[in-house]
Amino acid sequence: MQQNISTYDFAGKKAIARVDFNVPLNEKFEITDDTRMRAAVPTMKKVLEKGGALILMSHLGRPKGVTEKFSLKHIIPHLEELLGQSVKFADDCQAADEQVAALQMGEVLVLENLRFYAEEEGKPRGLAEDATDEEKKAAKAAVKESQKKFVEKLASYADCYINDAFGTAHRAHGSTALIAKYFPNDKMFGYIMEGEIKAIDKVVKTPEHPVTAIIGGSKISSKIGIIEHLFDAVDNMIIGGGMVYTFKKALGGKIGNSICEDDQMELALETMKKAEAKGVKLYLSSEVVIADAFSNDANTKICSNMEIPDGWEGVDAAPSSLAVWEEVLMNSKTILWNGPVGVFEIPAFAKGTNKIAELLAKATENGAFTLVGGGDSVAAVTQMGFANKVSYVSTGGGAMLEYLEGIELPGIKAIRE
Ligand code: AMP
């Protein structure tokens, strides 16, 4: 049975928590963005304040074995600062029995990077490039077999399990999903997971209408699953960014050198029909900012996005489109934003994306529930100083996208079932 972190009795218990301490580090192993660590503080404090001991497990980077660069020991000093207490470290997540046994209530022990072991992800490593299918199959079976022991060892350390790593909730890894079954009556979400699930459900399951989704980014192929799933939840859908040109070309427009997925044009037309059938108003801009080069000092002008000249490409949303979208957004009670509406990494083409961030803050002030997710959109609201002015900023890019597509995430399922 699933427990609730707010009411669970941690007194005298050892809690093992899967957190997401996969933070960026510079060459001196200094943390350059500690957002993920800070976000986990409420969950960690809860266990400690309620009289429990805390064992933390996470991955860091994509090591293919034990790698000094990816050791979680680098994050210990900062974790000590965040928690205001000393933190112990076990340099092998599979050999921490003695340290776990010695752990006192109120103390914290961090296990070394789980991905030093292939068993965490359950994928074989070191296979020769010319390995036969038979060899691949055997290697996979072997790692699955040893994965069971790996997970059992982690589970043996604790009395209860907390999953607070939303960023990896879409992965059926040892620490994110498989471990949960060893705690049938003592498993729960941490506060990050709770918050993420609540925020996304507020958009797709129990929204206040009108609901508007702004979906941007470069490729329709990577967003089509979300777009179509969202048709069941939204009243309006604004499509922006590079995706637009596949639609416009499919409609017979001239798109110059704009980004386009020719093999997705059929799908784009079908998507438009589906929107109509579901009563969703689709906003594909009619004007865009075009540029004669992919650089900050390119010449730019405003153009109909059905008539982009050769040698020019669409790079940002035009003021006329933003004005239409503004009206839609100001009349919405629930707004979801994923993906930039222009090449926002180039400052000259970031105006549209920054304007969306501003409009979301304004809509929030007017009482709308606003959810922002996906690396680029989160970066835009943060850079603009609006992260605290929208209702919720999702920390899990891939996990959020899969959840929005209606996929039951393994990390969520494992706690609930
Ligand atoms: P995605 O990873 O699919 O969410 O797409 C994000 C990327 O889309 C960002 O790197 C943007 O620069 C890019 N993007 C947005 N608008 C355009 C555009 N008009 N042309 C090319 N790339 C774009």
Side-chain angles (χ1 to χ4, degrees):
M1 197 186 69
Q2 180 185 346
Q3 298 287 344
N4 184 318
I5 183 167
S6 293
T7 52
Y8 189 79
D9 182 11
F10 288 104
K13 294 195 181 118
K14 285 177 181 150
I16 191 158
R18 175 53 158 105
V19 287
D20 183 359
F21 286 171
N22 183 29
V23 287
L25 300 169
N26 63 19
E27 318 78 64
K28 289 193 218 145
F29 301 116
E30 292 157 348
I31 298 164
T32 53
D33 180 355
D34 72 343
T35 311
R36 289 173 175 163
M37 289 178 72
R38 269 187 292 116
V41 169
T43 292
M44 297 190 283
K45 286 247 157 114
K46 187 76 190 174
V47 174
L48 300 169
E49 281 163 10
K50 285 279 179 125
L54 187 59
I55 301 161
L56 296 168
M57 51 181 178
S58 176
H59 75 283
L60 176 63
R62 292 184 173 163
K64 294 276 169 276
V66 178
T67 323
E68 157 83 10
K69 187 175 149 198
F70 295 119
S71 172
L72 278 168
K73 73 179 180 205
H74 303 305
I75 62 100
I76 300 291
H78 189 60
L79 182 61
E80 290 183 326
E81 241 172 73
L82 288 176
L83 292 175
Q85 67 179 81
S86 68
V87 167
K88 300 191 156 113
F89 181 64
D91 60 12
D92 182 346
C93 71
Q94 289 291 289
D97 307 70
E98 278 177 27
Q99 280 168 289
V100 168
L103 198 68
Q104 301 296 308
M105 294 305 130
E107 289 186 335
V108 181
L109 173 71
V110 173
L111 303 182
E112 180 57 291
N113 195 342
L114 297 166
R115 290 195 190 166
F116 282 1
Y117 284 86
E119 284 78 4
E120 163 63 357
E121 294 175 277
K123 280 193 238 147
R125 284 183 186 157
L127 262 174
E129 265 181 34
D130 57 355
T132 62
D133 284 351
E134 286 291 289
E135 283 165 339
K136 283 185 195 156
K137 227 166 133 186
K140 201 165 172 194
V143 81
K144 285 281 169 206
E145 183 55 36
S146 51
Q147 188 178 39
K148 198 163 163 261
K149 285 199 200 93
F150 173 84
V151 175
E152 260 169 23
K153 172 58 85 179
L154 296 173
S156 74
Y157 297 150
D159 305 300
C160 59
Y161 166 67
I162 304 170
N163 188 350
D164 209 20
F166 184 71
T168 45
H170 57 318
R171 307 277 180 231
H173 292 167
S175 67
T176 60
L178 306 184
I179 192 172
K181 73 165 187 284
Y182 295 93
F183 302 93
N185 297 311
D186 299 278
K187 54 183 180 173
M188 67 206 88
F189 294 130
Y191 288 115
I192 298 174
M193 286 286 275
E194 268 189 15
E196 293 276 354
I197 294 169
K198 213 167 124 194
I200 302 176
D201 283 352
K202 217 165 157 175
V203 173
V204 290
K205 293 196 178 147
T206 52
E208 222 187 303
H209 289 269
V211 184
T212 300
I214 311 160
I215 306 292
S218 55
K219 288 186 177 164
I220 183 171
S221 53
S222 63
K223 298 282 165 82
I224 194 70
I226 311 165
I227 292 177
E228 297 204 342
H229 188 69
L230 284 174
F231 283 162
D232 290 326
V234 306
D235 304 288
N236 309 300
M237 178 158 315
I238 294 168
I239 295 191
M243 259 187 291
V244 170
Y245 307 99
T246 302
F247 284 92
K248 294 290 172 174
K249 189 169 176 188
L251 289 168
K254 268 186 75 215
I255 60 164
N257 297 10
S258 307
I259 188 171
C260 180
E261 290 172 284
D262 286 339
D263 58 343
Q264 303 289 319
M265 290 200 300
E266 270 303 304
L267 190 71
L269 294 177
E270 271 169 39
T271 303
M272 291 178 78
K273 280 195 202 128
K274 278 186 193 156
E276 200 180 343
K278 298 227 170 182
V280 174
K281 185 132 188 3
L282 208 55
Y283 290 86
L284 289 163
S285 50
S286 52
E287 281 189 327
V288 279
V289 175
I290 58 171
D292 60 357
F294 211 66
S295 75
N296 207 34
D297 48 12
N299 294 306
T300 61
K301 55 186 178 185
I302 309 284
C303 175
S304 150
N305 61 13
M306 294 292 276
E307 289 158 35
I308 301 174
D310 288 341
W312 292 73
E313 63 186 295
V315 289
D316 199 4
S320 59
S321 307
L322 289 162
V324 174
W325 299 349
E326 176 165 5
E327 208 182 319
V328 177
L329 294 173
M330 290 313 126
N331 286 313
S332 300
K333 287 267 185 291
T334 305
I335 302 170
L336 163 73
W337 178 27
N338 175 277
V341 297
V343 187
F344 92 115
E345 297 92 335
I346 297 179
F349 311 149
K351 293 190 190 89
T353 299
N354 290 344
K355 179 75 182 172
I356 297 284
E358 187 190 314
L359 291 175
L360 254 71
K362 196 167 151 195
T364 316
E365 207 181 310
N366 290 347
F369 179 80
T370 53
L371 168 62
V372 181
D376 296 323
S377 333
V378 171
V381 282
T382 310
Q383 273 164 28
M384 294 286 291
F386 292 136
N388 293 326
K389 294 187 175 163
V390 295
S391 309
Y392 198 86
V393 176
S394 176
T395 56
M400 180 197 174
L401 294 185
E402 289 196 17
Y403 196 102
L404 284 173
E405 274 186 57
I407 297 168
E408 192 175 22
L409 307 186
I412 295 182
K413 191 170 168 216
I415 295 285
R416 285 187 175 154
E417 73 188 2

